[in-house]
Amino acid sequence: MEIKKFSFRGKIKDKENITLVDFLAEVTPLSKSLIKKHANNGGVWIKKRGLGPLNRIRRVKTVLTPDDYIECHYDPNLPEVDMSLVAQIHETKDWGIWYKPAGILTEGTKYGDQASMIRHIEKIKPHAYPIQRLDRETSGLMIVAYKEKVSRIFTKSTKSGLITKSFQAEVLGQLRSSEGDISFNIDGRSAKTIYKVHQELEFSSLIEIEMPTSRFHQARQHLAKIKHPIIGDPKYGRHNKNDDGLKLVAHKIELKDPISKKDHLFVLSDELRLF
């Protein structure tokens, strides 16, 4: 029997000493073997006794208690993702710089995290905390902390402007000025994108971008707003289709190590940059 995409949400209520796998086998159409695989892939969530946050649970033999809240989100059509190009560019015991190829999520969704950067790194490191998130379609450099305390320090540094992230993009048409900034609120929050033209092509322009703020799809929304959408963007703009995908790359990060206080500059290799 084909199992379609579904979501289950509910409390354990009156059941005593039932395991997660037995409970889900009763309330969902999934077999026990599929439940085990699905939980391991990050599609099952639990809130213990209704307290605290909702967290992924992978151990299907966990014994549940009354008032535990369970969610199971299943999608049989989640694509397989090639993680072979994911690479750590720089490593310390507290954090690292990673390369994320296009087509890979930074973090998972409610349906699972097996095809995400963070889950991939968690299989190598005890913990992984992304300091910034790149869109699925965007490739480039990411900072990942391996300790929660270091993550908090990096996040504070980002808000204080002590970390600079630069992007390269190819946009539709030629911009009116060789450099400038775009300031439009996104979701009611202030957002600023700074750009500089690197080269004008026949129907497009290569530009470098910095974003003092980090909002949802910020560069993509801002550039579409001024009628210069990023080439290959599947969501924003018109007449910007491209068979090679989104032309947006996070190619450079400047930061101060929150532990050693040493300054670092990381630049993506030539073959992975746009220019």
Side-chain angles (χ1 to χ4, degrees), residues 91-103:
E91 179 181 18
T92 77
K93 67 176 183 177
D94 299 307
W95 59 275
I97 300 292
W98 287 78
Y99 170 69
K100 186 189 88 66

Side-chain angles (χ1 to χ4, degrees), residues 175-185 191-197 207-213 218-219 222-223 225-226 228:
L175 287 83
R176 292 182 179 180
S177 56
S178 61
E179 57 184 75
D181 60 73
I182 310 163
S183 296
F184 293 107
N185 284 5
K192 182 177 182 179
T193 301
I194 302 167
Y195 72 87
K196 184 176 182 178
V197 176
I207 65 173
E208 186 153 350
I209 301 167
E210 289 185 10
M211 290 177 280
T213 56
Q218 179 174 315
H222 272 178
L223 288 159
K225 186 81 172 179
I226 64 170
H228 295 286

Side-chain angles (χ1 to χ4, degrees), residues 165-224:
K165 296 164 286 185
S166 301
F167 294 75
Q168 294 178 335
E170 183 179 354
V171 301
L172 185 66
Q174 284 79 44
L175 287 83
R176 292 182 179 180
S177 56
S178 61
E179 57 184 75
D181 60 73
I182 310 163
S183 296
F184 293 107
N185 284 5
I186 295 177
D187 296 330
R189 303 171 69 190
S190 63
K192 182 177 182 179
T193 301
I194 302 167
Y195 72 87
K196 184 176 182 178
V197 176
H198 172 78
Q199 183 182 357
E200 290 186 346
L201 306 176
E202 185 176 3
F203 301 109
S204 61
S205 300
L206 299 175
I207 65 173
E208 186 153 350
I209 301 167
E210 289 185 10
M211 290 177 280
T213 56
S214 182
R215 310 295 183 224
F216 179 72
H217 289 179
Q218 179 174 315
R220 297 166 65 178
Q221 291 200 59
H222 272 178
L223 288 159

Side-chain angles (χ1 to χ4, degrees), residues 41-243:
N41 286 341
V44 180
W45 301 73
I46 188 169
K47 183 184 287 189
K48 293 297 292 179
R49 294 187 176 273
L51 301 174
L54 196 63
N55 293 308
R56 297 186 200 272
I57 182 168
R58 304 184 197 271
R59 189 172 177 274
V60 295
K61 292 186 178 180
T62 297
V63 176
L64 304 177
T65 57
D67 294 326
D68 282 350
Y69 174 79
I70 300 293
E71 290 191 9
C72 177
H73 303 279
Y74 179 78
D75 184 352
N77 298 314
L78 290 178
E80 294 291 330
V81 176
D82 181 8
M83 306 294 284
S84 63
L85 295 179
V86 173
Q88 186 171 212
I89 307 300
H90 177 80
E91 179 181 18
T92 77
K93 67 176 183 177
D94 299 307
W95 59 275
I97 300 292
W98 287 78
Y99 170 69
K100 186 189 88 66
I104 296 176
L105 291 167
T106 296
E107 296 181 287
T109 69
K110 65 183 180 180
Y111 293 97
D113 62 354
Q114 74 277 13
S116 71
M117 282 286 294
I118 294 306
R119 181 58 181 157
H120 177 80
I121 297 170
E122 284 176 343
K123 293 177 181 179
I124 304 168
K125 304 290 184 181
H127 303 285
Y129 304 91
I131 305 306
Q132 88 277 26
R133 292 157 181 80
L134 298 180
D135 301 339
R136 181 202 295 264
E137 302 88 352
T138 304
S139 63
L141 300 175
M142 290 176 49
I143 309 168
V144 179
Y146 304 141
K147 297 178 181 178
E148 187 175 3
K149 178 181 178 180
V150 176
S151 172
R152 291 196 299 268
I153 296 172
F154 264 124
T155 300
K156 185 176 180 180
S157 295
T158 299
K159 292 178 179 179
S160 302
L162 299 178
I163 297 175
T164 303
K165 296 164 286 185
S166 301
F167 294 75
Q168 294 178 335
E170 183 179 354
V171 301
L172 185 66
Q174 284 79 44
L175 287 83
R176 292 182 179 180
S177 56
S178 61
E179 57 184 75
D181 60 73
I182 310 163
S183 296
F184 293 107
N185 284 5
I186 295 177
D187 296 330
R189 303 171 69 190
S190 63
K192 182 177 182 179
T193 301
I194 302 167
Y195 72 87
K196 184 176 182 178
V197 176
H198 172 78
Q199 183 182 357
E200 290 186 346
L201 306 176
E202 185 176 3
F203 301 109
S204 61
S205 300
L206 299 175
I207 65 173
E208 186 153 350
I209 301 167
E210 289 185 10
M211 290 177 280
T213 56
S214 182
R215 310 295 183 224
F216 179 72
H217 289 179
Q218 179 174 315
R220 297 166 65 178
Q221 291 200 59
H222 272 178
L223 288 159
K225 186 81 172 179
I226 64 170
K227 311 300 183 185
H228 295 286
I230 297 173
I231 297 296
D233 193 323
K235 186 169 184 177
Y236 302 99
R238 297 178 179 178
H239 311 297
N240 63 325
K241 291 184 178 179
N242 176 54
D243 292 338

Side-chain angles (χ1 to χ4, degrees), residues 12-16 66:
I12 309 307
K13 295 185 178 178
D14 299 328
K15 293 184 179 295
E16 292 279 357

